[in-house]
Amino acid sequence: MNKKSTLHLLLILSLIMGALIFRKGELLSLAIPFLVYLIIGLIQAPSDLDLAAKRTIDRTSVPAGGTVETSIVIKNQGAGLANLYLEDTLFPSMSILEGEAQGRVALARGETVEFNYTFTAERGVYPWKMVRACASDPFGLFDLETEIPAFGNILVRPAPMKIRPVAVKPLHTLHAPGPIPSRLAGSGTDFWGVREYLPGDPLRQINWRLKARHPRRLFTNEFEREEIADFGLILDTRRFATADALEESLFEHTASAATAFSESLLKVGNRVSLLVYGKSITTVFPGSGKSHGNRLLRSLARARLGEYIPFTYLDYFPTRLFPARSVIVIFSSVHPHDLDVYARLRSYHYEVLLISPDPVGYASRKLPQTEINSLALRLARLERIVLLKQLVKLGVKVVDWQVNEPLDKVLNYSLNQLARRRDIRGTQ
Amino acid sequence: MTTLRHTSLIITAACLGVGYLMASTWLLLPMLLVYGLYWFFTRKPAGGWPATVLLAVTVIFTTIGILAGVHVILMTIACVGALVNWDLTQFQQDRIGTISTVQSTSRETHHLQSLAWAALAGLALAILSAAIDLDFPLVIVILLVLISIVGVTNGLLLTEKRKKKDG
């Protein structure tokens, strides 16, 4: 029974009570049309629902903000239904652009109906399991609800960010061909050195100039071997402040950067692992290739900002996630309490690269220009500069990223600066 | 559909008006005021609640009319008119989400057929019952009423239970 049938029942009962109280039989006559209406509804109410649904989504993965077309075909395999309400599950972060995700239909036995809608959604994974169906009599007095299985899934990737290959040069590489100079002699393109000729060396690698100087000896050119490396990505999803909207918006940039960075690493064959660190922790163990890329993408799409927890929980993570001497790339706005963890990671001989989207710069562009705001931002900027300098002292490669600037440009510039400083120190 | 809804509303108001005029009661004025207000507020789509209120008010008006001695057939027609108006308003509200025009026509036809059956059968039975003059002692009437209330309620609950079991 629903609200409509209850209303009718109440009207009938009131008229009967009125007839009794006032001892007026005519009042009973007034109740008859309502009673007939209720009975006709009851007779035509469906006793059982046998519906089948098929969901078609035009793509399996889409970047945030992209449009997705969904089509649902419902077939009535049971008795005819005069009044059927169908409703698809809508997630809060979805917005419909065209069409309807619900509707009323009349379906005869064996008849099908199709409803389509186009939507756009925020970053995330959206799984559908069913379509809600509610059949009732033509007057809508007696409902019969059911859930029709209609599975579907779509991955809404972080907003696309194009980055050119980043010149990260790890000290340790894996012995498999790749793009990273390994500081070892082998097959490659960059000249590495010369050694004495050994039987079996290809003739085109013989250094003929040196042979001219030493006519009785042969020398072979050696090239720097190019290999792949292990990269561990850590995406920090902890909330540091209470400025929800600002932090959420900055986090979207961070997630996009992490996605673009992981894609650029995987594209050239590196092994990449991922740790999404926050209230809920997600791990993806090292791997490479397209399917591994999809796994990473799925985890990055699911990442949501959560409440603050200390970074020290990282101590309990298996080393299998970050193989020894790998490069750990941390995407975080950085909290003063995290310094110990960075120091520990460095002490374990990990190379640590911190890509830190600047929350102060971001807030300064978003907040109104008032005296208090500018003072607060100045203090926060000073605090951040001190914190980043402390991290640099620990040997962490810090990239201070203003999110309105292209990441690859900032990254390449910062890494080149760091390499130059290292070279200068090396020559001193 | 809208024409039908307006026609039913006019029939209801006319039956009540004629009945009250014949009984020469002052209730004609509040009745006209209520219907005028309803007309005014439902010029733009205003959800289903004004029609529900109007249905309840019409039942009250018809009850008062019968108590004031107005002819029962006029009051029954007024009641049926209000019921049709309420039903069509609710149907129009539901129709907003109808998936296609073909579906809409099919549903509309089926609904109107069912409504016509319910209205005609209800009206005929009500007029028939008004014509039959049975004289029962009060105790028997109360007993019959109680049996019918319990019967209807149990019947509805049993249907609900069966549906839940099947589901």
Side-chain angles (χ1 to χ4, degrees), chain B residues 15 40 43 45 53-54 57 61 65 88 124 140 160:
Chain B
C15 286
F40 182 76
R43 282 179 307 163
V53 172
L54 189 85
V57 169
F61 274 134
L88 293 177
I140 293 172
E160 286 287 305

Side-chain angles (χ1 to χ4, degrees), chain A residues 23-42:
Chain A
R23 299 186 72 177
K24 271 271 186 194
E26 288 95 333
L27 285 180
L28 283 174
S29 310
L30 289 185
I32 289 171
F34 296 105
L35 197 63
V36 171
Y37 184 81
L38 210 62
I39 289 167
I40 288 182
L42 192 62

Side-chain angles (χ1 to χ4, degrees), chain A residues 1-2 4-5 7-9 11 13 15-18 20 22-24 26-30 32-38 40 42 44-48 82-84 86 100 102-107 111-115 138-145, chain B residues 52 55-56 59 62-63 66-67 69 72 75-76 79-80 83 86-87 90-91 94-95 97-100 103 106-107 110-111 114-115 117-119 121-123 125-127 129-130 138 141-142 145 148-149 152-153 155-157 159-160 163-164 166-167:
Chain A
M1 270 174 78
N2 57 21
K4 286 181 182 177
S5 46
L7 171 80
H8 279 269
L9 207 62
L11 285 175
L13 291 176
L15 285 167
I16 292 171
M17 293 309 288
L20 279 175
F22 298 110
R23 299 186 72 177
K24 271 271 186 194
E26 288 95 333
L27 285 180
L28 283 174
S29 310
L30 289 185
I32 289 171
F34 296 105
L35 197 63
V36 171
Y37 184 81
L38 210 62
I40 288 182
L42 192 62
Q44 296 194 54
S47 56
D48 143 51
N83 189 0
L84 175 67
L86 297 163
E100 293 282 346
Q102 75 275 339
R104 279 189 185 275
V105 289
L107 273 185
E111 198 182 350
T112 55
V113 67
E114 181 178 353
F115 64 105
F139 305 135
L141 297 172
F142 303 96
D143 296 335
L144 183 62
E145 275 192 47
Chain B
T52 307
L55 180 68
V59 169
T62 48
T63 308
I66 284 175
L67 294 178
V72 69
M75 295 296 103
T76 311
C79 252
V80 172
L83 178 64
W86 174 84
D87 179 90
Q90 301 291 333
F91 183 70
D94 288 348
R95 210 173 55 159
T98 302
I99 287 166
S100 69
Q103 283 295 334
S106 153
R107 257 192 80 215
H110 198 275
H111 185 94
S114 303
L115 183 63
W117 273 111
L123 194 65
L125 284 172
I127 291 169
S129 71
L138 185 65
V141 171
I142 290 173
V145 163
S148 59
I149 288 172
V152 168
T153 317
L156 290 174
L157 289 175
T159 321
E160 286 287 305
K163 276 178 189 171
K164 271 182 193 167
D166 292 341

Side-chain angles (χ1 to χ4, degrees), chain A residues 122-142:
Chain A
E122 289 173 15
R123 182 174 54 81
V125 178
Y126 298 88
W128 284 274
K129 286 181 181 167
M130 51 88 186
V131 173
R132 197 173 75 84
C134 177
S136 61
D137 57 284
F139 305 135
L141 297 172
F142 303 96

Side-chain angles (χ1 to χ4, degrees), chain A residues 127-314:
Chain A
W128 284 274
K129 286 181 181 167
M130 51 88 186
V131 173
R132 197 173 75 84
C134 177
S136 61
D137 57 284
F139 305 135
L141 297 172
F142 303 96
D143 296 335
L144 183 62
E145 275 192 47
T146 189
E147 287 172 351
I148 322 163
F151 296 95
N153 204 331
I154 190 160
L155 168 74
V156 180
R157 303 190 299 269
M161 183 186 279
K162 279 190 179 173
I163 61 167
R164 280 174 291 172
V166 182
V168 187
K169 289 176 184 167
L171 293 171
H172 301 278
T173 51
L174 298 169
H175 297 309
I180 300 163
S182 62
R183 294 177 182 82
L184 292 169
S187 60
T189 50
D190 290 351
F191 180 72
W192 178 252
V194 179
R195 63 165 167 77
E196 201 143 341
Y197 175 79
L198 290 172
D201 278 347
L203 288 178
R204 63 190 170 89
Q205 282 184 6
I206 290 174
N207 192 322
W208 297 106
R209 287 183 183 206
L210 218 53
K211 159 78 184 157
R213 279 193 215 160
H214 307 275
R216 290 181 186 281
R217 292 165 72 188
L218 279 173
F219 297 91
T220 304
N221 284 336
E222 279 189 321
F223 296 91
E224 190 173 12
R225 199 190 298 168
E226 286 168 351
E227 294 179 337
I228 58 162
D230 260 322
F231 288 87
L233 307 186
I234 299 177
L235 177 65
D236 189 356
T237 61
R238 298 169 303 156
R239 220 179 260 284
F240 295 133
T242 48
D244 286 357
L246 267 180
E247 228 175 344
E248 291 276 355
S249 159
L250 184 67
F251 181 70
E252 287 305 313
H253 289 283
T254 318
S256 292
T259 309
F261 196 80
S262 70
E263 278 173 350
S264 83
L265 290 175
L266 283 172
K267 206 174 177 179
V268 288
N270 291 302
R271 283 207 315 176
V272 182
S273 59
L274 172 72
L275 168 68
V276 178
Y277 188 85
K279 184 69 184 168
S280 63
I281 289 167
T282 314
T283 54
V284 180
F285 285 97
S288 56
K290 206 169 180 182
S291 59
H292 186 71
N294 284 336
R295 269 197 293 277
L296 289 176
L297 209 57
R298 201 162 273 274
S299 301
L300 287 167
R302 277 205 189 102
R304 289 276 174 274
L305 268 187
E307 57 187 79
Y308 177 81
I309 56 160
F311 225 8
T312 45
Y313 283 102
L314 266 184

